[in-house]
Amino acid sequence: MKNDKVAIRFQPQRTEIAIERGSTILDAALLGKVTLSHKCGGHGSCGTCKVIVDSKTTLEPPNLLEHRHLAEAQLGMGYRLACQCQLTGPATVQVPEDPLRRVVRELLAAMRETDKANMTD
Ligand code: FES
C-alpha cells in the first residue's frame, strides 16, 4: 500500500479498501460499494450517513455539521457523519442497519416463528 493511502474496514460487510488519505468515510463507502445512506449527497445536511467509528480510529474532532446532527451522547459512542469525516489513518467503521431494513428483517423473523409454531400444532 502506498503511503498516501489509508485502509478502512467496514463492518458488518467485512469490506476493506485503501483510499487516498483525506478522503471521507463516505468516499470510501462509495468506492467499496458499501451501502450507506447519503440522501443529501454528502453536503452534511441530511444526517443519514451516520456511522460508528471504532474507538481506536483517530479522526479530526467532529465539525459543526456533525454537532448539528449528532447528540453529544452519540458523539461519545463514536457516531460520526461519514460525509464529514476525513480519513487520516487506518479506520474501522460500523455501518448501522437501515431502520426500514431492520423492521422488514424482524417481521420476516416473526413470520417464520409463527409458521414454525403453526406446523407443530
Ligand atoms: S450524506 Fe447527508 S449528512 Fe452526510
Side-chain angles (χ1 to χ4, degrees):
M1 184 180 308
K2 286 178 164 181
N3 285 343
D4 61 341
K5 291 197 172 194
V6 294
I8 178 167
R9 182 178 186 79
F10 290 96
Q11 300 285 9
Q13 295 84 356
R14 296 189 199 158
T15 299
E16 186 167 336
I17 63 162
I19 192 164
E20 300 292 324
R21 188 178 304 273
S23 301
T24 66
I25 293 172
L26 179 60
D27 294 332
L30 294 172
L31 183 66
K33 299 186 181 353
V34 172
T35 302
L36 177 58
S37 180
H38 56 287
K39 291 186 177 166
C40 72
H43 297 292
S45 60
C46 69
T48 60
C49 63
K50 292 181 184 88
V51 293
I52 305 167
V53 177
D54 182 89
S55 61
K56 294 181 191 113
T57 300
T58 48
L59 294 168
E60 295 293 319
N63 67 20
L64 190 62
L65 293 171
E66 291 180 280
H67 280 286
R68 193 174 293 162
H69 289 285
L70 299 167
E72 286 303 316
Q74 288 178 304
L75 290 167
M77 293 186 312
Y79 277 87
R80 300 293 298 266
L81 293 182
C83 70
Q84 299 299 306
C85 282
Q86 293 182 322
L87 294 162
T88 57
T92 301
V93 172
Q94 186 79 31
V95 178
E97 186 174 24
D98 178 79
L100 180 59
R101 182 174 289 207
R102 186 182 69 237
V103 168
V104 170
R105 181 177 50 72
E106 289 171 355
L107 281 173
L108 289 173
M111 289 170 64
R112 270 187 238 113
E113 288 302 314
T114 303
D115 285 349
K116 274 187 202 170
N118 288 340
M119 290 173 91
T120 57
D121 287 345

